[in-house]
Amino acid sequence: MASRVFWKGYLKLSLVTCPVAMTPATTESERVRFHTLNRKTGNRIASHYVDSVTGKDVDPGSEVKGYERGENEYVMLEDDEIDAVALESTHTIDIQTFAPRESIGWIWYDRPHYLAPNDEVGEEAFGVIREAMAATDVVGISRLVMYRRERAVLLEPRGKGIVLWTLRYGDEVRDEAEYFPDKSQKVDPKALSLVEKLIAERTTDWSPEMVADPVQATLLELIASKKKGRKKAARPKDEPAEAPAGNVVNIMDALRKSLAAEGKKGGKGGSR
């Protein structure tokens, strides 16, 4: 079932404008979710806010956002004050900048959305913008208020539509140089060749089945069995992994054994 449109507005490039509709490209609606219940009554447990000092319930009208400036000291900000610093327009994606597609690392990509024309009149303008980006291998950069925050967004042509990605803020991505020090690493050419063969043995076409959730499937089986009044047998525990014989590992021997094992799998109808 197609997801419901959650945003409508306009895509704008210079003097070219067309109406568009946006829908989240991912969903969590199929995820198994649990409520917290009172074991004795079976009723749901309700949560509420209390004052950390007085212990009394706080009326929703008395809640306000606070920025901590010191121990137990806060600057209070009202919702309308926060909203006032956002973009004036929350319904126009005005593309001001383009960047080469490959110049933006995957780590900046946050949440994907499908962007499509919202009426027949705007389809031509939408298609021209999309095809021009695809032909020049660039992505568009703009800003938009989403989820009550101003976000930098990236527009990437995909098929007959555009994928709009929210981008992570600059202070959300840590500098990789702090974690990947620039040290020379010597690589044995023979070991490299064996690893490349091992990779080739395990390479296959992408499929969504690669990221299936076996835990969720097992939970659904458990829930179904409880609905029928049956008690599902406990899942046998995995055998503990065999501890390595020592700290020193002969990588060449390990790689040769790995390739031999992959060869046996291939003989039984393994990867291509």
Side-chain angles (χ1 to χ4, degrees), residues 13-253:
L13 174 59
S14 188
L15 299 178
V16 179
T17 304
C18 60
V20 290
M22 183 162 48
T23 305
T26 59
T27 178
E28 296 183 353
S29 62
E30 300 300 318
R31 181 177 296 178
V32 175
R33 300 180 183 276
F34 297 102
H35 295 292
T36 303
L37 308 179
N38 183 334
R39 187 192 301 276
K40 295 180 179 179
T41 65
N43 299 329
R44 286 182 58 180
I45 296 175
S47 59
H48 56 276
Y49 288 104
V50 297
D51 188 294
S52 62
V53 177
T54 67
K56 295 181 179 180
D57 289 356
V58 178
D59 182 79
S62 298
E63 295 174 14
V64 64
K65 292 180 174 64
Y67 176 82
E68 188 172 10
R69 63 179 181 182
E71 187 174 355
N72 295 323
E73 290 187 45
Y74 300 88
V75 176
M76 293 187 183
L77 295 172
E78 301 292 342
D79 288 344
D80 57 352
E81 293 179 303
I82 296 174
D83 293 340
V85 300
L87 289 175
E88 291 184 6
S89 173
T90 61
H91 294 285
T92 300
I93 305 169
D94 189 358
I95 308 177
Q96 296 287 346
T97 307
F98 293 93
R101 184 196 299 261
E102 72 278 0
S103 67
I104 303 175
W106 62 267
I107 201 167
W108 293 97
Y109 288 61
D110 182 25
R111 188 181 299 185
H113 305 75
Y114 292 140
L115 192 68
N118 199 29
D119 66 15
E120 293 183 2
V121 176
E123 286 183 359
E124 182 179 2
F126 181 91
V128 168
I129 294 173
R130 181 196 64 231
E131 292 304 316
M133 286 196 295
T136 53
D137 200 26
V138 298
V139 293
I141 306 296
S142 185
R143 304 192 75 83
L144 186 65
V145 174
M146 297 178 66
Y147 309 109
R148 296 202 66 184
R149 295 188 70 182
E150 181 181 331
R151 309 296 301 255
V153 296
L154 176 149
L155 291 89
E156 177 183 23
R158 185 179 180 89
K160 295 299 182 181
I162 291 175
V163 175
L164 181 146
W165 288 87
T166 55
L167 296 176
R168 301 186 192 280
Y169 294 100
D171 56 3
E172 290 181 338
V173 178
R174 295 190 173 104
D175 184 0
E176 64 182 50
E178 297 179 13
Y179 304 91
F180 306 146
D182 186 15
K183 295 180 179 178
S184 58
Q185 297 178 343
K186 294 183 179 179
V187 177
D188 186 340
K190 292 182 179 179
L192 181 62
S193 177
L194 289 175
V195 171
E196 289 174 350
K197 290 179 181 178
L198 188 59
I199 290 173
E201 288 286 344
R202 295 193 173 199
T203 299
T204 186
D205 292 332
W206 160 258
S207 167
E209 294 179 359
M210 294 179 182
V211 289
D213 186 351
V215 173
Q216 171 139 315
T218 304
L219 279 173
L220 290 173
E221 290 178 11
L222 174 61
I223 292 168
S225 67
K226 282 183 171 288
K227 283 182 179 179
K228 296 179 181 179
R230 300 195 310 266
K231 187 173 182 180
K232 188 175 178 64
R235 182 178 177 180
K237 294 183 178 179
D238 294 334
E239 291 294 327
E242 183 178 347
N247 293 329
V248 180
V249 178
N250 187 318
I251 189 170
M252 296 299 290
D253 287 345

